Amino acid sequence: MHKNFKGIEKTVYGRGSFDQLGTILDEKRGDNDKFMLFIVDNYFKDKPLSKRIPLKPEDVIMYIDVDPHEPTTDQVDSIRDQVLGSKGLPAGVIGIGGGSIMDIAKAVSLMFTNEGSSTLYQGLNLIKKPGIYHVGVPTISGTGAEVSMTAVLTGPEKKLGLKCEWTVFNQVVLDPELIATVPRNWWFYTGMDTYIHCIESENGILNNAYSHAYAEQALKLCRDIFLGPASGQTPENDDKLMVASLMGGLSLTYSEVGVCHALSYGLSKILGMRHCFANCVAFNHLEDYYPEGVREFREMVRKHNIDLPQGLSKDWSDEQITAMAKVSYNLPHMWNHAVGPDWKDKVTVESIEELFRRL
Ligand code: NAD
Ligand code: ZN
């Protein structure tokens, strides 16, 4: 079966396009209980951007600190319950922030119309009804969350996305001006998520001309941004990174991620390590699988003088390493893509433990 996916309905791209958000929302304001819910990264609370949010008196705005932990099912349920209890059903939800905020906005949109806890819907196509209108405004680029059909949530039992067609944003606003203030380490780790998406998408059995075209272009952009003579955090590179993130996301959607993401899920689930950082920690030691990609990645780390810890595994217990290896092993679609349909003959929980011991 070939993948058949729904894309973002509308995309606006360009410097200053954030100022079109008000007009975009005006068309939808008459829906449901006629107010908008803005979910915004707390970083922007006292920043000039907060004054430019097209807030009307009836709207609700929530500033969320994403640093203590990645989005949780509890957090999403409580936002939904709080808003429904106090104001009713919004006309739309707008997420302004990185992958964490965009995932919260996507999940909240779905949970407004699907009863019970979001833990019931972690998985593929478990959502019963379309959510409400939702808009994504990325302020840090790389995860591809702006284009993906999943909203990754950590619940009491699993870290797994609410994954279905209705998760995809109705509208995204891509304004490269918004990513100018991202701290350098985050710029790098999150940007590398795109680079790794492309390397993994390209190196596996599900790679095809469609996913390849996106990956090829996104990799070219990543090389300009992180390696070329004009590399670094500049307005020109921010313009490119925002596009690379989207294309990297599309590439993996039509192919698959691989070994690095399998390990990264283990690191996030068992140690709470953040997705993009965990990818960088793991990818650095995957030269057996991605020799060229890892060589180039290390060049980028050196060039930008990025702090990437090594020797972490000496502080992990055998139990933790086994637990992480089990999480990774239980992602068969990634191993199948990266290693082939006979991956179980080549990859075992023990061999994955060895990979973790390299980190
Ligand atoms: P993030 O949203 O976690 O933010 C990282 C840091 O950057 C935070 O401190 C945030 O406050 C700060 N920040 C964001 N924008 C800023 C700006 N313009 N200026 C200054 N600081 C800014 O970052 P992320 O890496 O984009 O997202 C990671 C999350 O995305 C994880 O929860 C992961 O599970 C999820 N994810 C989702 C998908 C998907 O397809 N849905 C894919 C990959 C990762
Ligand atoms: Zn990723």
Side-chain angles (χ1 to χ4, degrees):
M1 268 278 266
H2 296 290
K3 295 181 174 184
N4 181 15
F5 290 138
K6 177 171 165 287
I8 304 164
E9 282 163 26
K10 284 184 147 189
T11 304
V12 54
Y13 169 84
R15 299 198 150 254
S17 60
F18 184 77
D19 292 331
Q20 284 170 237
L21 184 58
T23 319
I24 290 169
L25 298 180
D26 281 346
E27 276 182 37
K28 304 284 172 186
R29 283 189 168 276
D31 294 350
N32 303 327
D33 291 317
K34 300 185 175 53
F35 69 96
M36 291 289 170
L37 168 63
F38 292 89
I39 298 179
V40 187
D41 189 312
N42 198 47
Y43 167 83
F44 293 106
K45 191 155 189 185
D46 305 310
K47 303 289 186 302
L49 187 78
S50 65
K51 312 271 180 319
R52 291 167 56 204
I53 295 173
L55 199 67
K56 299 249 166 113
E58 63 274 22
D59 293 344
V60 175
I61 184 160
M62 292 180 172
Y63 285 98
I64 294 181
D65 184 354
V66 299
D67 287 326
H69 51 73
E70 292 193 333
T72 64
T73 49
D74 274 355
Q75 197 175 17
V76 165
D77 296 348
S78 103
I79 294 173
R80 184 254 330 254
D81 295 343
Q82 200 182 322
V83 173
L84 279 182
S86 59
K87 297 266 310 191
L89 185 64
V93 48
I94 303 98
I96 305 175
S100 302
I101 291 286
M102 286 191 282
D103 280 357
I104 295 174
K106 290 197 240 181
V108 167
S109 147
L110 295 168
M111 294 314 300
F112 271 121
T113 51
N114 287 274
E115 276 152 35
S117 165
S118 50
T119 53
L120 298 171
Y121 306 103
Q122 286 180 281
L124 180 63
N125 291 334
L126 301 177
I127 288 281
K128 307 262 184 300
K129 298 178 202 158
I132 63 167
Y133 175 76
H134 51 306
V135 181
V137 186
T139 65
I140 174 171
S141 287
T143 63
E146 64 277 23
V147 69
S148 77
M149 58 182 296
T150 185
V152 184
L153 299 181
T154 303
E157 279 167 26
K158 44 196 171 194
K159 178 184 172 182
L160 197 61
L162 311 188
K163 193 168 180 186
C164 71
E165 286 202 348
W166 299 313
T167 313
V168 183
F169 282 117
N170 298 104
Q171 166 87 53
V172 297
V173 176
L174 302 178
D175 182 345
E177 282 179 5
L178 304 189
I179 67 173
T181 51
V182 170
R184 202 173 52 93
N185 268 8
W186 276 113
W187 164 76
F188 188 84
Y189 299 140
T190 301
M192 281 303 109
D193 197 20
T194 287
Y195 179 79
I196 296 167
H197 288 160
C198 295
I199 297 291
E200 293 191 306
S201 166
E202 292 275 79
N203 290 282
I205 60 169
L206 296 176
N207 184 33
N208 59 73
Y210 192 82
S211 62
H212 168 64
Y214 285 119
E216 187 176 47
Q217 185 59 32
L219 283 171
K220 181 176 174 300
L221 294 168
C222 285
R223 288 178 183 125
D224 290 350
I225 301 159
F226 295 106
L227 269 186
S231 73
Q233 253 179 311
T234 64
E236 293 72 23
N237 285 336
D238 288 348
D239 288 355
K240 294 180 180 180
L241 186 54
M242 216 159 220
V243 178
S245 173
L246 188 109
M247 290 194 159
L250 284 169
S251 179
L252 79 86
T253 299
Y254 284 91
S255 173
E256 189 48 83
V257 287
V259 181
C260 181
H261 274 71
L263 298 194
S264 165
Y265 270 65
L267 291 166
S268 295
K269 176 70 195 166
I270 304 302
L271 304 176
M273 200 181 274
R274 303 183 75 108
H275 178 78
C276 302
F277 177 67
N279 277 342
C280 289
V281 166
F283 196 66
N284 200 19
H285 295 280
L286 290 178
E287 60 269 40
D288 294 357
Y289 289 95
Y290 309 110
E292 273 306 296
V294 172
R295 188 193 52 72
E296 197 168 52
F297 169 79
R298 288 183 184 152
E299 221 177 301
M300 298 191 269
V301 171
R302 265 196 307 277
K303 181 155 187 137
H304 297 286
N305 210 2
I306 296 297
D307 176 23
L308 192 59
Q310 304 209 33
L312 295 173
S313 64
K314 67 177 184 327
D315 297 326
W316 301 337
S317 67
D318 288 344
E319 290 73 28
Q320 281 177 314
I321 290 177
T322 304
M324 290 193 279
K326 284 185 176 159
V327 172
S328 300
Y329 187 82
N330 285 319
L331 294 162
H333 50 295
M334 297 184 193
W335 294 105
N336 172 62
H337 169 61
V339 180
D342 59 346
W343 67 272
K344 284 193 173 164
D345 299 338
K346 299 174 182 157
V347 177
T348 59
V349 171
E350 292 71 35
S351 73
I352 302 175
E353 286 177 1
E354 282 315 306
L355 292 177
F356 278 110
R357 288 185 203 282
R358 291 184 192 174
L359 312 184

